Amino acid sequence: MKRLHWKIFALAASITTGLALAAVLLAPAGAFTGLTFLKLVVVGLLGSLALSWLVVRMALDPLEQIRALSGQLATGRRDQRLLWSYGDERDATAIALNRTADRLVREIDEAQREAQQLEAVLSSMVEGVLVLDVQDRILLVNPGFRELFGTWGPVRDRTVIEVIRQPEVDDLLAETKTTRAPVIRDVPLRGGADRTVLAHAIRFPAKGPPAGTLAVFQDVTEVRRVDKVRRDFVANASHELRTPLTSIQGFAETLAGGGLAPEDAERCLETILRNAARMRDLIDDLMELSRLENEATATELTRVDVVRLTRELLVDLGKRLSSAALDAHLTTEDAPDAWCDRGALEHVLENLLTNAIRYTDAGGQIRVGIEPKADLLEITVEDTGIGIPEQSRDRIFERFYRVDAARSRAVGSTGLGLAIVRHLVQAMGGTIRVESEIGVGSRFIFTVPRAPEDAEAAD
Ligand SMILES: Nc1ncnc2c1ncn2[C@@H]1O[C@H](COP(=O)(O)OP(=O)(O)OP(=O)(O)O)[C@@H](O)[C@H]1O
Ligand SMILES: [Mg+2]
């Protein structure tokens, strides 16, 4: 029993004992014999003890229940309520306390629901979220943050520099203390693969004394890369167009100046025409690329006999092959049909063969092979040419990329061919890759879907 219980118990016991003793003492003299008197005292004492116990129970039962209720609420149990009914003001107390308990339970539920919602939102964000307290200790980070910065251990109450070791992020967060406006900028991430994140950090709340810092990080590596490719593209395209244009202008001015011998004038005109043709080719390629980028799926699928198409192409290229003293062969006699856009496939093969001719020295060999693979055809264009350095192998499919820009420009190439080829192959649902060895040769391998058995006959 608690102290309060003892006090009430002692009080009730003394009152009842007093009453029993008073009853005995006030009885007329000689009313009890010695033994009967003793028995009466004992019975009186026991009775008073029992009575006191009853009084204590009755007085303390409500308090006991209230204590139990608050204990249950504190430990998270929410179904306990006060159920007594004394028919007096204690009942009103029970009703009031039960209402308070109901409200508390509702508020706890609501707070838990909100916390779960916030947790779900933070977990599903690909952006990294970081919240710092006013002492710059970490309050929370979301899974996106962990993923972005590769941090997996406990972070709570640690500093940012301890956790992610990126001084640029630390500097950015420090800057939020000097301004109430958000600090927004790209931050390069060190380590592993080079990445760029766009960080957006701000002290909160917007008004009043600061309570902490909130920062959101978004991986913009790919966006920035595409941006750079576009900027380079415009710069490259302008440069490539400008070169022949400068030449045209120069020779046209010379012509306009007059006084040229007829054969010199003719040479001027030839140069003008050659450069104009180059400009037209370049613009055609640029338009083709732009068309492919904007309507990648607009290809017309038909059954195509690749063996026949390759043979026809090799015949068409016969003059160029013999003037370059190259031997070109199709090594496959028979192959299943492809299911693709005939014009696109022709364009791809022609581009790869033209490259093989262009980048193979006299006496070299060019081989085309077609091999069925599950639901694909794997087509290989192989040469014994100059080869492609390893560091350039991924880049040759970029627009305007040329391994040796001077040599390429001399032969009038612009570096758009393979960019178009890759687009066309992908638009047909295939892939392209290159294998090469310097001085030994290059092998371009691409895939196109195979025609289904029941498709219309090839044209
Ligand atoms: N078969 C090959 N052997 C060696 N190098 C090659 C071969 N094919 C392509 N390359 C290299 O890849 C670069 C890009 O090729 P791509 O076909 O895109 O451009 P290009 O041939 O220079 O110009 P274009 O095809 O637009 O007239 C070439 O400049 C060349 O350096
Ligand atoms: Mg080319």
Side-chain angles (χ1 to χ4, degrees), residues 351 355 358 417:
N351 256 290
N355 277 353
R358 195 178 268 166

Side-chain angles (χ1 to χ4, degrees), residues 355 358-359 383 388 396 401-403 408 413-418:
N355 277 353
R358 195 178 268 166
Y359 302 106
D383 62 54
I388 301 160
I396 53 172
Y401 185 84
R402 287 160 297 190
V403 175
S408 299
S413 79
T414 50
L416 289 175
L418 287 178

